[in-house]
Amino acid sequence: GARAGGVRGDAPARRARAARRPATSSDEVKTVEDDVSVESTVAPPVEGATNGAQVDLGSAPAGAGAGLDLLATALLISPFFFWGTSMVAMKGTLEHTTPFFVAASRLLPAGALVVAYALANGIDMPRGAKAWRAIALFSLVDAAAFQGFLAKGLTLTSAGLGSVIIDSQPLTVAVLASLLFGEELGAVGIVGLLIGVAGLLLLEVPDEALRDALSGGGPAALLPSAGAASDVGSAGLLESGEFFMLLAAQSMAVGTVMVRWVGKFADPVMATGWHMVLGSLPLLYLAIAGEGYDAAVAAMEPSDWASLAYTSIFGGAVGYGVFFYNANRGNLTKLSSLTFLTPMFAAGFGYLVLDETLSQTQLLGAAVTLGAVFLVNAGGEDGEDVE
């Protein structure tokens, strides 16, 4: 602002001096340069851009600013699109293999791709014991624990209720981000988070279970069937799928908040890659030693390997790379609230690709979820934004 003011204030004096002497071609060029330097403006960094660079919109063609905004928005929501479509891609694969093998296969190739990308772009490897300790802890919480609890939970609970529990983790992120980074949503944002959970229930829980819950059955109607519930009661909490899904959600929430701390010791993109590589190792051990290699791959078909490749490349490398890059820079609560979009993309992709049907309740849930995301991102203060 001060620099621009100085340029504008000196402009009349320069024009007066130029008027007292004959103009030359070099003077004309200088005047043009002065006018351009006075009138052009530089836009602030585009939120969500993957290179963190500033973009000069003052000299850009008409419509370029809108195009850049659209690109930034697409990059921002791309992880949730890839995670949602990956769930659809993996739907049939789990019938032919084991959960821990799927989890390890999602992380290991994805992490290797992210590390290779970082190295190809001149990003340094993590250096020092502090950096590797931070990445190791990050990998234990966000990769191994999250994917392990998720794989275990999926075998013990319904997909609908399990997805609601997983995708409700923005509530935990909001609390942690407020305590650790001073992020504040305000009343509107908090209401938006709660509405988002309601939208997930409408979108993912079967209509019959919702009707039973509203007609007097209460939250207990959302739990598994009587037979499954009796199994849980006899075996204890450690055999409850909902318990493992809750642990998975909390692991993901803590990992989302941890990335800022990890980013103090290593580049966030490089750390994301290594945390997936390291986190896959205990899962790979459980898949081979516990579940058995033959059980993991014997029944696999070409389409299953293609689904694994999509899930690893797009649901893993691209999705997690972009998500944790943004988590290191922007408002964690608002970014995490976009997780509510994941089941919407899953439902939409299932409708288009697998000919799955969408009920009126699910369509209402999608509309409620979109409204919740708007409320969270429009209501409240940003808190600490990382540029």
Side-chain angles (χ1 to χ4, degrees):
R3 183 177 180 275
V7 172
R8 292 183 184 273
D10 293 341
R14 285 198 303 271
R15 286 195 290 269
R17 289 194 298 271
R20 291 195 295 269
R21 65 177 185 271
T24 63
S25 60
S26 61
D27 290 332
E28 292 171 355
V29 171
K30 178 64 176 175
T31 301
V32 171
E33 291 175 348
D34 288 341
D35 290 340
V36 170
S37 68
V38 170
E39 299 301 331
S40 65
T41 59
V42 177
V46 176
E47 194 72 25
T50 55
N51 58 6
Q54 290 189 346
V55 181
D56 185 355
L57 298 182
S59 58
L68 290 170
D69 288 341
L70 182 62
L71 176 61
T73 301
L75 287 171
L76 188 64
I77 67 174
S78 63
F80 313 99
F81 171 81
F82 290 133
W83 292 342
T85 53
S86 291
M87 292 295 291
V88 177
M90 296 308 302
K91 187 171 183 178
T93 303
L94 280 171
E95 299 176 0
H96 304 146
T97 184
T98 57
F100 287 123
F101 179 77
V102 170
S105 298
R106 180 178 186 178
L107 290 176
L108 183 57
L113 286 174
V114 173
V115 170
Y117 169 83
L119 290 173
N121 284 271
I123 299 176
D124 293 332
M125 291 280 287
R127 297 177 180 175
K130 288 184 178 181
W132 285 108
R133 278 198 299 268
I135 294 174
L137 184 59
F138 184 34
S139 69
L140 179 64
V141 173
D142 185 76
F146 170 57
Q147 295 292 340
F149 290 141
L150 176 63
K152 181 69 173 178
L154 284 174
T155 65
L156 297 171
T157 189
S158 64
L161 181 56
S163 296
V164 171
I165 297 173
I166 284 291
D167 295 329
S168 65
Q169 54 89 18
L171 297 173
T172 303
V173 172
V175 173
L176 294 176
S178 176
L179 294 174
L180 298 176
F181 304 116
E183 293 186 1
E184 297 181 3
L185 277 179
V188 174
I190 293 173
V191 170
L193 286 175
L194 298 177
I195 291 176
V197 176
L200 294 179
L201 289 169
L202 294 172
L203 186 63
E204 297 179 288
V205 174
D207 289 354
E208 183 178 352
L210 285 175
R211 284 194 296 268
D212 290 343
L214 294 175
S215 61
L222 304 178
L223 295 175
S225 62
S230 63
D231 292 340
V232 171
S234 61
L237 189 63
L238 292 181
E239 290 301 320
S240 167
E242 290 74 23
F243 176 69
F244 281 104
M245 298 300 269
L246 181 62
L247 290 178
Q250 305 318 303
S251 298
M252 182 179 180
V254 174
T256 300
V257 176
M258 280 184 68
V259 71
R260 282 191 179 173
W261 171 68
V262 177
K264 296 179 179 180
F265 305 101
D267 179 87
V269 175
M270 182 66 79
T272 296
W274 275 111
H275 109 286
M276 287 192 285
V277 171
L278 297 178
S280 70
L281 299 181
L283 296 173
L284 188 61
Y285 171 79
L286 291 173
I288 295 176
E291 298 170 335
Y293 180 78
D294 290 340
V297 301
M300 292 278 286
E301 300 177 356
S303 59
D304 297 322
W305 291 107
S307 295
L308 278 178
Y310 177 84
T311 302
S312 181
I313 295 172
F314 294 99
V318 178
Y320 282 106
V322 174
F323 177 80
F324 284 118
Y325 176 83
N326 286 326
N328 192 59
R329 302 174 69 245
N331 184 289
L332 290 174
T333 303
K334 292 183 177 182
L335 175 65
S336 182
S337 73
L338 297 178
T339 305
F340 291 145
L341 298 177
T342 301
M344 288 185 52
F345 287 125
F349 198 64
Y351 173 80
L352 293 174
V353 176
L354 301 180
D355 293 328
E356 296 180 345
T357 59
L358 293 174
S359 67
Q360 292 182 348
T361 302
Q362 287 177 309
L363 293 175
L364 174 61
V368 171
T369 301
L370 284 176
V373 171
F374 173 79
L375 286 176
V376 173
N377 285 272
E381 301 175 2
D382 288 343
E384 178 185 341
D385 281 347
V386 180
E387 299 295 342

mmCIF file of all heavy atoms in Angstrom, residues 26-58:
data_model
loop_
_atom_site.group_PDB
_atom_site.id
_atom_site.type_symbol
_atom_site.label_atom_id
_atom_site.label_comp_id
_atom_site.label_asym_id
_atom_site.label_seq_id
_atom_site.Cartn_x
_atom_site.Cartn_y
_atom_site.Cartn_z
ATOM 1 N N SER A 26 12.213 6.511 -26.129
ATOM 2 C CA SER A 26 12.477 5.887 -24.837
ATOM 3 C C SER A 26 11.605 6.495 -23.758
ATOM 4 O O SER A 26 11.165 5.818 -22.843
ATOM 5 C CB SER A 26 13.964 6.042 -24.463
ATOM 6 O OG SER A 26 14.307 7.420 -24.356
ATOM 7 N N ASP A 27 11.333 7.844 -23.844
ATOM 8 C CA ASP A 27 10.443 8.477 -22.872
ATOM 9 C C ASP A 27 9.040 7.905 -22.968
ATOM 10 O O ASP A 27 8.364 7.703 -21.964
ATOM 11 C CB ASP A 27 10.383 9.999 -23.091
ATOM 12 C CG ASP A 27 11.694 10.667 -22.704
ATOM 13 O OD1 ASP A 27 12.389 10.106 -21.831
ATOM 14 O OD2 ASP A 27 11.992 11.725 -23.285
ATOM 15 N N GLU A 28 8.592 7.645 -24.217
ATOM 16 C CA GLU A 28 7.259 7.098 -24.405
ATOM 17 C C GLU A 28 7.164 5.715 -23.772
ATOM 18 O O GLU A 28 6.172 5.376 -23.120
ATOM 19 C CB GLU A 28 6.919 7.021 -25.888
ATOM 20 C CG GLU A 28 6.758 8.409 -26.533
ATOM 21 C CD GLU A 28 6.631 8.321 -28.040
ATOM 22 O OE1 GLU A 28 6.777 7.196 -28.553
ATOM 23 O OE2 GLU A 28 6.405 9.348 -28.690
ATOM 24 N N VAL A 29 8.201 4.896 -23.958
ATOM 25 C CA VAL A 29 8.202 3.573 -23.368
ATOM 26 C C VAL A 29 8.176 3.670 -21.860
ATOM 27 O O VAL A 29 7.461 2.957 -21.168
ATOM 28 C CB VAL A 29 9.443 2.766 -23.834
ATOM 29 C CG1 VAL A 29 9.553 1.465 -23.051
ATOM 30 C CG2 VAL A 29 9.360 2.499 -25.320
ATOM 31 N N LYS A 30 8.988 4.645 -21.300
ATOM 32 C CA LYS A 30 9.035 4.810 -19.856
ATOM 33 C C LYS A 30 7.673 5.211 -19.294
ATOM 34 O O LYS A 30 7.240 4.710 -18.254
ATOM 35 C CB LYS A 30 10.080 5.877 -19.500
ATOM 36 C CG LYS A 30 10.186 6.171 -18.006
ATOM 37 C CD LYS A 30 10.673 4.963 -17.241
ATOM 38 C CE LYS A 30 10.861 5.275 -15.775
ATOM 39 N NZ LYS A 30 11.221 4.104 -14.994
ATOM 40 N N THR A 31 6.981 6.116 -20.023
ATOM 41 C CA THR A 31 5.663 6.556 -19.562
ATOM 42 C C THR A 31 4.684 5.393 -19.553
ATOM 43 O O THR A 31 3.897 5.229 -18.619
ATOM 44 C CB THR A 31 5.131 7.678 -20.471
ATOM 45 O OG1 THR A 31 6.046 8.750 -20.446
ATOM 46 C CG2 THR A 31 3.761 8.143 -19.996
ATOM 47 N N VAL A 32 4.724 4.547 -20.583
ATOM 48 C CA VAL A 32 3.858 3.383 -20.643
ATOM 49 C C VAL A 32 4.138 2.447 -19.479
ATOM 50 O O VAL A 32 3.238 1.936 -18.811
ATOM 51 C CB VAL A 32 4.019 2.637 -21.989
ATOM 52 C CG1 VAL A 32 3.264 1.308 -21.946
ATOM 53 C CG2 VAL A 32 3.529 3.505 -23.133
ATOM 54 N N GLU A 33 5.457 2.225 -19.180
ATOM 55 C CA GLU A 33 5.805 1.351 -18.083
ATOM 56 C C GLU A 33 5.301 1.901 -16.760
ATOM 57 O O GLU A 33 4.819 1.172 -15.901
ATOM 58 C CB GLU A 33 7.314 1.142 -18.025
ATOM 59 C CG GLU A 33 7.856 0.323 -19.212
ATOM 60 C CD GLU A 33 9.371 0.253 -19.187
ATOM 61 O OE1 GLU A 33 9.967 1.023 -18.407
ATOM 62 O OE2 GLU A 33 9.943 -0.555 -19.928
ATOM 63 N N ASP A 34 5.432 3.264 -16.592
ATOM 64 C CA ASP A 34 4.949 3.879 -15.360
ATOM 65 C C ASP A 34 3.447 3.687 -15.191
ATOM 66 O O ASP A 34 2.959 3.362 -14.112
ATOM 67 C CB ASP A 34 5.263 5.381 -15.345
ATOM 68 C CG ASP A 34 6.760 5.633 -15.153
ATOM 69 O OD1 ASP A 34 7.453 4.702 -14.680
ATOM 70 O OD2 ASP A 34 7.214 6.737 -15.484
ATOM 71 N N ASP A 35 2.725 3.906 -16.304
ATOM 72 C CA ASP A 35 1.276 3.768 -16.231
ATOM 73 C C ASP A 35 0.874 2.337 -15.874
ATOM 74 O O ASP A 35 -0.037 2.108 -15.086
ATOM 75 C CB ASP A 35 0.623 4.167 -17.569
ATOM 76 C CG ASP A 35 0.737 5.677 -17.802
ATOM 77 O OD1 ASP A 35 0.956 6.391 -16.800
ATOM 78 O OD2 ASP A 35 0.617 6.103 -18.965
ATOM 79 N N VAL A 36 1.581 1.351 -16.469
ATOM 80 C CA VAL A 36 1.264 -0.038 -16.182
ATOM 81 C C VAL A 36 1.566 -0.367 -14.728
ATOM 82 O O VAL A 36 0.805 -1.031 -14.045
ATOM 83 C CB VAL A 36 2.042 -0.984 -17.126
ATOM 84 C CG1 VAL A 36 1.890 -2.436 -16.667
ATOM 85 C CG2 VAL A 36 1.556 -0.819 -18.548
ATOM 86 N N SER A 37 2.716 0.138 -14.213
ATOM 87 C CA SER A 37 3.074 -0.162 -12.840
ATOM 88 C C SER A 37 2.103 0.462 -11.859
ATOM 89 O O SER A 37 1.903 -0.046 -10.768
ATOM 90 C CB SER A 37 4.497 0.328 -12.537
ATOM 91 O OG SER A 37 4.543 1.749 -12.554
ATOM 92 N N VAL A 38 1.492 1.587 -12.246
ATOM 93 C CA VAL A 38 0.533 2.245 -11.365
ATOM 94 C C VAL A 38 -0.802 1.521 -11.376
ATOM 95 O O VAL A 38 -1.420 1.316 -10.342
ATOM 96 C CB VAL A 38 0.343 3.722 -11.780
ATOM 97 C CG1 VAL A 38 -0.830 4.332 -11.021
ATOM 98 C CG2 VAL A 38 1.607 4.517 -11.525
ATOM 99 N N GLU A 39 -1.254 1.104 -12.561
ATOM 100 C CA GLU A 39 -2.625 0.613 -12.692
ATOM 101 C C GLU A 39 -2.763 -0.877 -12.429
ATOM 102 O O GLU A 39 -3.827 -1.353 -12.096
ATOM 103 C CB GLU A 39 -3.161 0.918 -14.108
ATOM 104 C CG GLU A 39 -3.205 2.417 -14.417
ATOM 105 C CD GLU A 39 -4.088 3.167 -13.438
ATOM 106 O OE1 GLU A 39 -5.048 2.574 -12.922
ATOM 107 O OE2 GLU A 39 -3.805 4.347 -13.191
ATOM 108 N N SER A 40 -1.689 -1.673 -12.646
ATOM 109 C CA SER A 40 -1.844 -3.115 -12.504
ATOM 110 C C SER A 40 -1.859 -3.499 -11.034
ATOM 111 O O SER A 40 -1.284 -2.831 -10.189
ATOM 112 C CB SER A 40 -0.692 -3.852 -13.214
ATOM 113 O OG SER A 40 0.531 -3.564 -12.572
ATOM 114 N N THR A 41 -2.540 -4.590 -10.731
ATOM 115 C CA THR A 41 -2.626 -5.092 -9.364
ATOM 116 C C THR A 41 -2.291 -6.569 -9.352
ATOM 117 O O THR A 41 -2.445 -7.266 -10.356
ATOM 118 C CB THR A 41 -4.044 -4.899 -8.792
ATOM 119 O OG1 THR A 41 -4.959 -5.596 -9.618
ATOM 120 C CG2 THR A 41 -4.397 -3.432 -8.723
ATOM 121 N N VAL A 42 -1.842 -7.053 -8.215
ATOM 122 C CA VAL A 42 -1.528 -8.456 -8.052
ATOM 123 C C VAL A 42 -2.511 -9.048 -7.075
ATOM 124 O O VAL A 42 -2.695 -8.526 -5.975
ATOM 125 C CB VAL A 42 -0.076 -8.649 -7.545
ATOM 126 C CG1 VAL A 42 0.210 -10.123 -7.322
ATOM 127 C CG2 VAL A 42 0.902 -8.040 -8.539
ATOM 128 N N ALA A 43 -3.141 -10.122 -7.480
ATOM 129 C CA ALA A 43 -4.149 -10.752 -6.625
ATOM 130 C C ALA A 43 -3.478 -11.510 -5.493
ATOM 131 O O ALA A 43 -2.324 -11.905 -5.607
ATOM 132 C CB ALA A 43 -4.999 -11.725 -7.453
ATOM 133 N N PRO A 44 -4.173 -11.708 -4.382
ATOM 134 C CA PRO A 44 -3.620 -12.514 -3.292
ATOM 135 C C PRO A 44 -3.514 -13.962 -3.724
ATOM 136 O O PRO A 44 -4.063 -14.369 -4.741
ATOM 137 C CB PRO A 44 -4.666 -12.346 -2.175
ATOM 138 C CG PRO A 44 -5.924 -12.013 -2.901
ATOM 139 C CD PRO A 44 -5.505 -11.210 -4.098
ATOM 140 N N PRO A 45 -2.759 -14.760 -2.952
ATOM 141 C CA PRO A 45 -2.625 -16.166 -3.321
ATOM 142 C C PRO A 45 -3.972 -16.842 -3.430
ATOM 143 O O PRO A 45 -4.876 -16.594 -2.645
ATOM 144 C CB PRO A 45 -1.794 -16.752 -2.144
ATOM 145 C CG PRO A 45 -1.133 -15.577 -1.507
ATOM 146 C CD PRO A 45 -2.049 -14.416 -1.733
ATOM 147 N N VAL A 46 -4.090 -17.727 -4.409
ATOM 148 C CA VAL A 46 -5.332 -18.470 -4.601
ATOM 149 C C VAL A 46 -5.418 -19.551 -3.548
ATOM 150 O O VAL A 46 -4.502 -20.361 -3.405
ATOM 151 C CB VAL A 46 -5.367 -19.094 -6.012
ATOM 152 C CG1 VAL A 46 -6.622 -19.942 -6.183
ATOM 153 C CG2 VAL A 46 -5.319 -18.002 -7.060
ATOM 154 N N GLU A 47 -6.483 -19.560 -2.780
ATOM 155 C CA GLU A 47 -6.638 -20.535 -1.702
ATOM 156 C C GLU A 47 -6.737 -21.928 -2.284
ATOM 157 O O GLU A 47 -7.534 -22.201 -3.162
ATOM 158 C CB GLU A 47 -7.908 -20.217 -0.918
ATOM 159 C CG GLU A 47 -7.991 -20.941 0.414
ATOM 160 C CD GLU A 47 -7.016 -20.383 1.421
ATOM 161 O OE1 GLU A 47 -6.639 -19.223 1.290
ATOM 162 O OE2 GLU A 47 -6.635 -21.133 2.327
ATOM 163 N N GLY A 48 -5.895 -22.846 -1.791
ATOM 164 C CA GLY A 48 -5.949 -24.228 -2.227
ATOM 165 C C GLY A 48 -5.058 -24.538 -3.406
ATOM 166 O O GLY A 48 -4.984 -25.662 -3.842
ATOM 167 N N ALA A 49 -4.351 -23.521 -3.978
ATOM 168 C CA ALA A 49 -3.447 -23.797 -5.083
ATOM 169 C C ALA A 49 -2.321 -24.685 -4.599
ATOM 170 O O ALA A 49 -1.809 -24.530 -3.501
ATOM 171 C CB ALA A 49 -2.887 -22.492 -5.654
ATOM 172 N N THR A 50 -1.864 -25.613 -5.440
ATOM 173 C CA THR A 50 -0.936 -26.620 -4.968
ATOM 174 C C THR A 50 0.509 -26.165 -4.974
ATOM 175 O O THR A 50 1.363 -26.859 -4.467
ATOM 176 C CB THR A 50 -1.046 -27.878 -5.848
ATOM 177 O OG1 THR A 50 -0.842 -27.520 -7.211
ATOM 178 C CG2 THR A 50 -2.413 -28.498 -5.700
ATOM 179 N N ASN A 51 0.824 -25.023 -5.552
ATOM 180 C CA ASN A 51 2.213 -24.594 -5.515
ATOM 181 C C ASN A 51 2.429 -23.402 -4.603
ATOM 182 O O ASN A 51 3.551 -22.934 -4.445
ATOM 183 C CB ASN A 51 2.713 -24.261 -6.933
ATOM 184 C CG ASN A 51 1.881 -23.179 -7.600
ATOM 185 O OD1 ASN A 51 0.994 -22.600 -6.970
ATOM 186 N ND2 ASN A 51 2.165 -22.917 -8.859
ATOM 187 N N GLY A 52 1.375 -22.876 -4.007
ATOM 188 C CA GLY A 52 1.515 -21.795 -3.063
ATOM 189 C C GLY A 52 1.962 -20.495 -3.690
ATOM 190 O O GLY A 52 2.309 -19.539 -3.007
ATOM 191 N N ALA A 53 2.006 -20.386 -5.020
ATOM 192 C CA ALA A 53 2.497 -19.195 -5.680
ATOM 193 C C ALA A 53 1.414 -18.154 -5.797
ATOM 194 O O ALA A 53 0.234 -18.457 -5.814
ATOM 195 C CB ALA A 53 3.014 -19.548 -7.082
ATOM 196 N N GLN A 54 1.843 -16.871 -5.905
ATOM 197 C CA GLN A 54 0.893 -15.811 -6.155
ATOM 198 C C GLN A 54 0.613 -15.719 -7.646
ATOM 199 O O GLN A 54 1.480 -15.953 -8.478
ATOM 200 C CB GLN A 54 1.437 -14.477 -5.643
ATOM 201 C CG GLN A 54 1.497 -14.408 -4.117
ATOM 202 C CD GLN A 54 1.816 -13.014 -3.651
ATOM 203 O OE1 GLN A 54 2.233 -12.160 -4.433
ATOM 204 N NE2 GLN A 54 1.632 -12.771 -2.376
ATOM 205 N N VAL A 55 -0.609 -15.378 -7.979
ATOM 206 C CA VAL A 55 -1.029 -15.323 -9.367
ATOM 207 C C VAL A 55 -1.376 -13.894 -9.727
ATOM 208 O O VAL A 55 -2.171 -13.257 -9.047
ATOM 209 C CB VAL A 55 -2.264 -16.238 -9.611
ATOM 210 C CG1 VAL A 55 -2.666 -16.190 -11.067
ATOM 211 C CG2 VAL A 55 -1.939 -17.658 -9.175
ATOM 212 N N ASP A 56 -0.760 -13.354 -10.781
ATOM 213 C CA ASP A 56 -1.006 -11.991 -11.216
ATOM 214 C C ASP A 56 -2.230 -11.975 -12.103
ATOM 215 O O ASP A 56 -2.198 -12.447 -13.235
ATOM 216 C CB ASP A 56 0.233 -11.473 -11.977
ATOM 217 C CG ASP A 56 0.095 -10.003 -12.354
ATOM 218 O OD1 ASP A 56 -0.989 -9.439 -12.116
ATOM 219 O OD2 ASP A 56 1.072 -9.429 -12.869
ATOM 220 N N LEU A 57 -3.333 -11.457 -11.555
ATOM 221 C CA LEU A 57 -4.572 -11.394 -12.320
ATOM 222 C C LEU A 57 -4.737 -10.055 -13.023
ATOM 223 O O LEU A 57 -5.634 -9.900 -13.838
ATOM 224 C CB LEU A 57 -5.769 -11.633 -11.400
ATOM 225 C CG LEU A 57 -5.822 -13.001 -10.701
ATOM 226 C CD1 LEU A 57 -7.090 -13.090 -9.879
ATOM 227 C CD2 LEU A 57 -5.740 -14.115 -11.696
ATOM 228 N N GLY A 58 -3.857 -9.081 -12.680
ATOM 229 C CA GLY A 58 -4.014 -7.766 -13.276
ATOM 230 C C GLY A 58 -3.773 -7.773 -14.761
ATOM 231 O O GLY A 58 -4.403 -7.046 -15.517
#
